[in-house]
Amino acid sequence: MKNFFSVNDVPDLKQFVEKAKAVKASPFEDKTLGENKTLGLIFLNPSLRTRLSTQKAGLNLGMQVMVMNMGQEGWALETRDGVAMDGTTVEHIREAAGVIGQYCDVVGFRSFPSLKDREEDYNETLFNKFMEFCAVPLISLESATRHPLQSFADLLTIEEHKTVTKPKVVLSWAPHVKALPQAVPNSFAEWMNRAEKEGMIDFCITHPKGYELADEFTGNSRIIYDQEEAINDADFVYVKNWSSYHDYGKVISTDKNWMIAPDQLSKNTKVMHCLPVRRDVELASAILDGPQSLVQKEAGNRLWAAQTVLKEILTSDS
Ligand code: CP
């Protein structure tokens, strides 16, 4: 593995989950693998889980880890080529990424979408430029369109908690107070589609009309506009808000009825959310604090997902 940007970087999904389970069972088995190697974690946007879990993953593998909140502490970045930098931007991404690549053996990079220019966001212009210019293996810590470390941890969580061979997994839109990126649901749909193709799960999506995600992520997934029908007898409900893809970045519904109530859940349904979550807006506190919630387990699994990806990169020849 050279870079980790999407599920397409994973040759064998089932084997990758097994590798994560092995890392979780024996976290310090490879504690010298990353000796004398440096992991740089570069954030243009806020983070709790991604920052700490990936940092700890590097430490468990014996790496030196440097973290930079570039969005707050770095120079204002210019990402466009062919412009005179006579405005507010101070450093071009070409120089910044090139310098970081010289200091690090592996880099993690987080950059959220603008939610203004769909073409630029969905072309992953910023992430691709950073990958090109830093010239060392790059791990996505969430890009404009995907959050693969989250989705890997989610799949691991589902595999650990399933009670049937092929559980029913539902991605459900939830209300929110502001416009959020589509990266988490895109990525979750992409990973779940792959898992469904490999016979691991049965997947469908529910959301109000107008919140259809991009086809490149949802593929042939069933979309059920009636939430109650969709979540009926689900083994896992993955709750997440996102803004509109088609009316790009817009909030087109804030229907509070889409916040799942405890009495809407079958007793065996487990509830997932990537966090951070707005209590009693996206998800009811009674669910979050109850036995059906897997949110803490998912967050815990972020460490094993990151450590598995780092181990794969450190042991890769290419
Ligand atoms: N789920 C997740 O990525 O959390 P952070 O944004 O806090 O890293």
Side-chain angles (χ1 to χ4, degrees), residues 118-124 145 182 186 217 245 248:
R118 188 172 85 178
E119 196 181 333
E120 187 172 292
D121 289 344
Y122 273 68
N123 283 337
E124 292 285 5
T145 64
Q182 297 100 31
N186 281 344
F217 299 102
Y245 168 75
Y248 192 59

Side-chain angles (χ1 to χ4, degrees), residues 43 46-51 110 112 141-142 147 150 274-276 302:
F43 289 87
S47 169
L48 186 160
R49 281 141 291 270
T50 307
R51 174 181 171 144
R110 168 170 280 198
F112 288 173
L141 304 176
E142 186 171 340
H147 195 356
Q150 181 64 53
C274 64
L275 304 180
R302 290 293 308 273

Side-chain angles (χ1 to χ4, degrees), residues 10-20 198 200 308 312:
V10 180
D12 185 330
L13 199 61
K14 283 183 185 163
Q15 190 189 57
F16 210 45
V17 171
E18 291 310 312
K19 285 181 177 181
E198 302 200 10
M200 298 163 80
T308 306
E312 206 68 11

Side-chain angles (χ1 to χ4, degrees), residues 14-30 60-61 152 156 160 301 303-305 307-308 311-312:
K14 283 183 185 163
Q15 190 189 57
F16 210 45
V17 171
E18 291 310 312
K19 285 181 177 181
K21 286 182 183 171
V23 164
K24 184 172 181 174
S26 194
F28 303 111
E29 191 169 302
D30 301 295
N60 284 357
L61 292 167
F152 182 22
L156 174 61
E160 286 178 332
N301 279 337
L303 169 56
W304 315 119
Q307 193 167 325
T308 306
K311 181 178 168 182
E312 206 68 11

